[in-house]
Amino acid sequence: MYRHLELRLAETISAFLKARFPAATLPAVVIEQPPKVELGDFAIPMFPFAKPLRTAPLKVAESIRDGIGVIEGIAQMTVAPPGYLNVTVDRVWMAAALASGQLLPAPGAAGKILVEHTSINPNKAAHIGHLRNAILGDTFVRLLRYAGREVDVQNYIDNTGVQVADVVVGFTYLEKKSRAEIEALTRQPRFDYYCWDLYARVSQWYERDKQNLQARAQVLHAIEDVSSETAAIADLISTAVVRRHLETMDRLEIEYDFLPRESEILHLHFWNAAFSKLKDAGVLTFETEGKNKGCWVMRRAGTEENTDNTERVEIEAEGLRIDTYASRNTEPTAVRATHIPTGTFVTSDTERTQHKNRERAMELLRSRLAEIKAEKISEEHQKVIVRSNGTVGYVGKDIAYHMWKFGLLGRDFGYRKFYRYPDNHDCWISTTEGEKNHPHFGDVAEIYNVIDTRQSEAQSTVIEALRELGHNEAADHYTHFSYEMVALTPRCAAELGYELSEEDRARSYIEVSGRKGFGVKADDLIDQLIASAKKEVDSRHPQLTDSERLSIAAQIAIGALRYFMLKFTKQSVIAFDFKDALSFEGETGPYAQYTVVRATSIFKKAGIDPEAFAKEAQGSMSSKHFGSFLNGENGDEFWGLWLTAAKTSYVVDQCVAATEPAYLAKHAFQLAQLFNTFYHRHPILSEADEGRRKFLLITVAIVRRELIRILEVMGITVPPVM
RNA sequence: GGGCGCGUAGCUCAAUUGGAUAGAGCACGGGAUUUCUAAUCCCGGGGUUGCAGGUUCGAUCCCUGCCGCGCCUACCA
């Protein structure tokens, strides 16, 4: 609603200025928000117009104010120093529009969107870092859907790598378990925890004796034969762990549509199809010498093709040795200059004097060093896609996979059903030969990959490959949704019983590591949050049954966790600490949930259904009456609440455009905060004035409805009581 | 060495992407009509936005150079 009016205002002013000053070329009208409600609802800086119009900013503002006439939904315009045109919305008009509850039609961007997130290696339990990924990804999916887009959710499963092989090594070499025994273990409730410990043990075992790495090589080799016992064990383990990951994420209301697996990318020869296209387009080149001899390489993303290095190389005196010797004639005029650090040397004997030979040798040495440097750079700029033994690396497979995503590969997966959610939604998984009837995945218009910032370079390389293949449009619609990692504070690590080095203790955070088994497991954290919430609920609502209290505690725990992961902007490293994560007060999910519960309890006490009341709200009060409150004594306060509620779709647009869900978290908190102040200041049910009571109730109904909607986009539901 | 990112209150983070007096939460100190349940609200102290320049009507934000920190920089996935 707010956004709609903003756009209309910008258009009207732009048209007015164009008509008024036909000769001038004017910049676009920018609309901002004033820092205070009293100043108005929109602020338009006049500074950019001052120069082209040769008029003082304040004068421009005045001419717009006096000349523009009536705009629907706008009540007044004021001029404010040092050069703003402040615009006040017709509060009654906007409130009526909001109360009507109709959502504006979505901008109508066509085409399906594919969001990929989670993608945990299926060899261990999910940890807090994975939670950030999944919660960011899932919330972004909800944001896109709120904005009216069609979205498929994928979770990529890398089930062929060394990590899975390592766990196989653990089971077969360290634990000497048979296939049947392992199969029995996979049916344990938290099989992924078992793998977590085992994986860490295997890493230690490798470290103790490098010879042990041979076990990994053997397992990797054995897995290649799909019919082998080892391959069956690897599949058993990875599939069981994937199922556990889905269960963990299901606890947080996170669902997937499709799980593409790396094993099918290999077995269905996606790479072969991609390889021939990449060769034909000249994206890959075959190296015949140098350190990458025998490999197919690609230019690394973000590097320049042209590396002619003409800049002068400086040679320091201590790195240089000059020898003179005699050649041809008896005079020692020939010079050999050696660059000691690199061992590079040149000789010169063509000049007549030693002095001249020395000068020439220096020049030769400089250019030789420059050449070496240039060669080195170009090698550094190479990314190996196909190894000299003919196998393809991770980036190559990723290129093929992304060609599939955009429907550019000419091949498809087989599909079968893998996991059914409580709401009967099916999650599909890739197979070589699948079921006949399956949904159509891939072939999408836009993709978002939620992957942490450490993978930025690999992601750019894939985008670059698409671009060089000539698929510019696909490359333009490929977004790496990049975010920073979750680390542990030294205090948190100490609490968990890890021994820290002096160095680590001094850091502000320490990176988690699955390989070392160092981190906080997702299910452990969820369990702790639930236990902590349950304690509160137990003491507050002893009259409820235990299962009721448990379900409320679970909702609160999820609210706390999801909000915690969303309130930080993507670029900020989350230094995880139990104290902050387990907090239910202040800027937290439970604060927002509690706000809704408060609103609900008003209606409960009054015996009114809040939903029905919100629907009727529009017609049940005259606009004159409405206006008397919105423009009256506490008008600014009431209006601030209404206006914030109206901004939701505007904030959602911002979140999508900037791939930044944190804006929505801030918005939820702001609205909740405004409501709580309002709640405290204005008793409603005891209000004697019938009309005023009704207005306050309508306000509560609208804010409640909006807040529920916002929380839903964040994947947070609200318990009946708290 | 190169690439990306960060540096804001005691701590953890914001700042509508260049706008009006840099804001929240936590922590700390003080207070709130016994109610629509206090998982709440109000008040208070706290800041040379790492340092030095530059760009302009205006810089936490853009540019340059330093200082400090993190990540990436494998024929591993």
Side-chain angles (χ1 to χ4, degrees), chain A residues 118-121 123-135 192-193 196 199 245 248-249 252 452 454 483 485-488 498 511-526 561 565 576:
Chain A
T118 309
S119 306
I120 311 169
N121 287 332
N123 70 333
K124 56 169 184 302
H127 59 62
I128 45 174
H130 303 123
L131 282 179
R132 187 180 197 182
N133 183 303
I135 290 169
D192 54 339
Y193 277 36
W196 172 282
Y199 183 46
H245 292 163
T248 301
M249 297 310 170
L252 303 173
D452 77 60
R454 287 172 292 196
Y483 66 94
M485 62 183 174
V486 182
L488 304 184
Y498 296 106
E511 195 173 350
V512 303
S513 162
R515 211 161 42 75
K516 293 178 190 155
F518 173 65
V520 176
K521 293 193 265 300
D523 281 309
D524 281 348
L525 178 59
I526 299 171
L561 179 54
M565 288 296 178
F576 181 86

Side-chain angles (χ1 to χ4, degrees), chain A residues 27-98:
Chain A
V29 174
V30 176
I31 299 198
E32 293 168 359
Q33 289 163 47
K36 285 185 198 165
V37 203
E38 303 92 81
L39 292 170
D41 303 304
F42 300 110
I44 305 157
M46 292 291 123
F47 312 107
F49 302 110
K51 224 170 212 173
L53 296 180
R54 296 186 181 191
T55 314
L58 290 174
K59 295 277 180 206
V60 183
E62 280 168 19
S63 71
I64 295 172
R65 181 195 59 192
D66 299 338
I68 199 154
V70 178
I71 304 172
E72 192 198 0
I74 301 298
Q76 65 161 331
M77 292 185 174
T78 53
V79 175
Y84 289 97
L85 179 66
N86 288 337
V87 179
T88 304
V89 166
D90 179 341
R91 295 180 174 184
V92 175
W93 181 88
M94 179 92 110
L98 181 64

Side-chain angles (χ1 to χ4, degrees), chain A residues 303-319:
Chain A
T303 58
E304 289 300 317
E305 199 155 9
N306 184 6
T307 55
D308 67 333
N309 202 325
T310 47
E311 80 181 81
R312 214 177 147 82
V313 177
E314 293 303 326
I315 303 168
E316 298 191 0
E318 55 268 31

